[in-house]
Amino acid sequence: MRTLVKHALAAAEPHNAIAIAGWIRTRRDAKGFSFLEINDGSCFASIQCVVDAGTPGFADPHPFTTGASVEVEGALVPSPAAGQQWEVKAASVRLIGAADASYPLQKKGHTLEFLRTIAHLRPRSNLFGAVFRTRSRLAFAVHEFFQSRDFVYVHAPIITASDCEGAGEMFRVTALKGNIDEKPETDFFGKRAYLTVSGQLEGETFACALSNIYTFGPTFRAENSNTARHAAEFWMIEPEMAFCDLPGDMNLGEEFIKAMARYALEHCAEDLAFFAKFVDKGLLERLKFVVERPFQRVPYAEAVAILKRSGQAFEFPVDDGANLQAEHERYLTEEHFKSPVTVFNYPRAIKPFYMRLNDDGQTVTAMDVLVPGIGEVIGGAQREERLDVLLAQMEYHRLRPEDYWWYADLRRYGSVPHAGFGLGFERLLMFLTGVANIRDVIPFARTPGNAEF
Ligand code: 4AD
Ligand code: MG
C-alpha cells in the first residue's frame, strides 16, 4: 500500500518494503544512479529516492523528469544527506504520467504573478502547497474553535433576496433571458435574487433561537476594487451571539484571532517556517506577539484624532465621519499602536442599518478589528434589537421595511440584545502566512476581469 511522504518521513524506524508516489521535483544523475526528489503534497518536504541504473522500470534515456508522476517501491533507509533522516532506496520505479520540457514549474523561482496564470499547477509549488495546507488546517481550526464553545454551525443560503450590507454590491442571479429588469416577478424566484454578500441576517434568526451560532461559507461582492485584499468571491466566518453586547463581541473577535494564530503556530509549524524564511521575515514574532498581548481598543472618534495628529501625508484625507481607508487602518496598527486594534462606535451614516444606535444618536455599535499588514479583518456590531429604532434606521438608510419583514419580526417576538461579526477567511490567512495578495491564498481567485479556471 502507498505511504504518504509525510508518514514515510516521520517514520520511527527503517522499513524494508515501502511504496510512495508523487511528482518529481528534481532529478540529479550521478555515475551509476540517480536521485529523484519526490513530493506528494502531504507535507512541505520531498523525499529523496536513490535509483540505481539497472532498477526495474528505470529506462535510460528515461522519462523521469521534473513534473512527471511516479511510484517508487523500495526500502526506507537512513539518509546520509544533511537535513533529512530518511530516504528511499528504490527496488522498482514506475512512471505514471510523463511531463515534457514544457512543464511550467521548473526549478528556477517563479513570480507570484506568473504562478497565478497557472493556478491549476501552482499547488505543486513549495509556496502554494504550504498556503493550501495551512488553509485546510485553519478551516478545521475555525470549526474546532466554535464547536468547542457550543456554537451551532448554520448553513446560510448562498442565494438571497436581501442586501445585508446595503452597499448595492450584489451579483444578480437570474434565469431570465433578454432584459432581466423588465419583469422580475417572472424570474425563477418570483423576484430579484442575488448571491449573498453576508449570511448575517439569516444567522441572526438562528441566534435568536439557538443562542450562539456561526456560519462559514462563500460570500460574493461585485465591488470593482482591484486591490490586494479584495476578492469577488471570498469565505466568511460569521458568529452571532444572543444576549451579547458590543464588549462581548469585541472579546470574541479578539479571542478568535488569537486562537487562530496559536493554532497555526502549533499545527502548521513546517509551512510557517517556510513563510517566515521566504515570504515575511517577521512572521513568527508577529504571531507570537498577537497570541500573547491584548489588542488595543479605541472609539472611532479617537482613531480619527490620532490620524489627524499624526502629521502623515495620506493619499485620502482623514475626515471626521468618513470611512477609514486602508492606509489609515495600517497607520493605526503598524505605526501608532504597533498591535492589532479594535475600532468601535462608528458614525451612523457610514455603517449599515442593522447596527445598534448609541444614545448619542450619532454613532452605532460597530466594531472593526484591524491588524498590521492588512487592515480590517473583522467587521461586526451589536445589532439594533429595538423595533422602533430599527424601523427608523431602515428609513434613514432608505430601505423598504417590507423587504426585511422577517428580520423585523425577530424584534417583534422575544427580541434580545445580540451581536456578531464577520471575519474574512482569506484576510486571516494573509495575516497568518504573510502572503501579501489575496489572490494567493484562494485556490482560484475571482477578481474583476478574471474567472479563469
Ligand atoms: O465588514 P463586512 O462587510 O461585514 C459584514 O459583511 C457583516 N455582515 C459581518 C457580520 O457582522 N456578520 O465584511 C466582514 C469581513 C471584512 O472585515 C473582511 O475581512 C472581509 O469580510 N471582506 C472581504 N474579504 C475579501 N474580499 C472582499 N471583497 C471582502 N469584503 C469584506
Ligand atoms: Mg467592514
Side-chain angles (χ1 to χ4, degrees):
M1 228 210 8
R2 182 171 70 97
T3 303
L4 287 177
V5 169
K6 174 181 180 173
H7 298 152
L9 289 173
E13 49 195 41
H15 204 293
N16 57 17
I18 193 169
I20 58 111
W23 293 267
I24 298 176
R25 280 289 176 84
T26 58
R27 187 189 96 210
R28 282 181 295 125
D29 294 325
K31 216 174 167 56
F33 62 97
S34 297
F35 292 114
L36 299 181
E37 291 287 338
I38 296 179
N39 187 288
D40 70 357
S42 61
C43 62
F44 186 83
S46 302
I47 195 163
Q48 172 165 288
C49 299
V50 185
V51 189
D52 288 337
T55 304
F58 199 56
D60 191 25
H62 51 66
F64 291 82
T65 53
T66 300
S69 52
V70 292
E71 185 178 52
V72 178
E73 289 182 352
L76 188 72
V77 298
S79 176
Q84 57 192 20
Q85 196 183 352
W86 303 109
E87 64 184 24
V88 174
K89 176 103 189 64
S92 70
V93 296
R94 186 164 72 85
L95 182 79
I96 300 174
D100 67 20
S102 67
Y103 183 63
L105 282 175
Q106 298 297 336
K107 193 166 166 56
K108 71 174 177 78
H110 298 289
T111 64
L112 295 175
E113 288 75 17
F114 170 72
L115 289 168
R116 275 175 221 146
T117 69
I118 51 164
H120 58 306
L121 293 172
R122 69 177 184 171
R124 293 192 200 173
S125 67
N126 277 335
L127 175 68
F128 288 97
V131 165
F132 295 119
R133 276 188 302 273
T134 303
R135 183 174 172 120
S136 165
R137 297 219 173 92
L138 265 296
F140 178 75
V142 166
H143 286 293
E144 189 177 80
F145 177 89
F146 288 111
Q147 294 286 337
S148 69
R149 285 164 177 75
D150 289 311
F151 281 59
V152 176
Y153 180 32
V154 174
H155 293 112
I158 286 173
I159 299 173
T160 179
S162 43
D163 182 359
C164 174
E165 295 303 295
E169 290 169 342
M170 302 201 293
F171 288 103
R172 183 88 174 267
V173 175
T174 181
L176 291 176
K177 309 269 186 289
N179 183 353
I180 61 170
D181 282 316
E182 206 165 36
K183 285 188 181 153
E185 66 281 5
T186 64
D187 204 345
F188 192 91
F189 299 105
K191 52 157 64 168
R192 287 189 179 84
Y194 307 89
L195 294 178
T196 188
V197 297
S198 160
Q200 177 197 323
L201 303 188
E202 291 88 353
E204 279 184 54
T205 72
F206 272 73
C208 292
L210 304 176
S211 289
N212 292 336
I213 66 98
Y214 68 107
T215 72
F216 184 6
T219 50
F220 307 86
R221 294 196 186 180
E223 47 190 330
N224 206 354
S225 37
N226 233 326
T227 79
R229 52 177 217 159
H230 288 89
E233 176 179 310
F234 60 99
W235 283 60
M236 219 198 309
I237 297 133
E238 297 186 86
E240 189 72 32
M241 297 170 288
F243 313 102
C244 180
D245 59 9
L246 185 66
D249 199 32
M250 295 198 277
N251 290 345
L252 184 76
E254 183 169 335
E255 218 183 296
F256 182 42
I257 291 175
K258 282 182 175 343
M260 294 302 104
R262 198 180 304 118
Y263 190 95
L265 286 168
E266 277 173 22
H267 295 88
C268 311
E270 192 184 29
D271 292 326
L272 255 53
F274 174 77
F275 301 135
K277 194 160 173 202
F278 290 104
V279 180
D280 178 353
K281 301 258 182 276
L283 180 70
L284 299 180
E285 289 68 48
R286 194 177 70 229
L287 294 185
K288 283 177 195 144
F289 180 92
V290 164
V291 168
E292 285 160 14
R293 304 274 287 273
F295 294 5
Q296 303 288 321
R297 287 183 190 175
V298 298
Y300 166 90
E302 198 178 315
V304 168
I306 290 168
L307 291 167
K308 283 189 166 162
R309 279 200 308 268
S310 71
Q312 293 283 309
F314 292 116
E315 187 186 340
F316 295 91
V318 181
D319 209 352
D320 258 318
N323 259 316
L324 297 182
Q325 300 293 327
E327 56 176 344
H328 305 146
E329 296 175 347
R330 294 190 57 176
Y331 176 82
L332 290 171
T333 59
E334 290 162 31
E335 308 292 331
H336 187 81
F337 289 107
K338 298 190 171 23
S339 149
V341 49
T342 307
V343 181
F344 60 98
N345 287 349
Y346 281 73
R348 175 189 194 189
I350 58 169
K351 289 291 182 186
F353 76 99
Y354 54 72
M355 297 188 177
R356 192 177 198 279
L357 192 62
N358 281 316
D359 292 344
D360 60 15
Q362 305 297 314
T363 60
V364 289
T365 50
M367 66 103 175
D368 282 0
V369 180
L370 318 177
V371 297
I374 299 178
E376 179 190 340
V377 284
I378 281 183
Q382 183 177 341
R383 320 306 186 186
E384 184 53 73
E385 85 285 11
R386 299 159 295 185
L387 181 61
D388 54 336
V389 185
L390 181 71
L391 294 173
Q393 276 280 73
M394 287 182 187
E395 199 184 312
Y396 177 81
H397 287 281
R398 299 183 200 293
L399 298 174
R400 304 190 321 168
E402 56 272 31
D403 292 341
Y404 297 89
W405 63 272
W406 52 274
Y407 186 73
D409 262 6
L410 300 176
R411 282 76 183 162
R412 232 169 237 122
Y413 308 118
S415 188
V416 293
H418 60 287
F421 62 78
L423 173 136
F425 189 47
E426 286 74 18
R427 292 203 187 163
L428 175 74
L429 290 170
M430 291 167 70
F431 183 59
L432 298 180
T433 61
V435 170
N437 196 306
I438 196 165
R439 291 164 181 77
D440 299 327
V441 295
I442 309 185
F444 298 101
R446 280 16 181 166
T447 51
N450 180 30
E452 190 66 49
F453 308 105

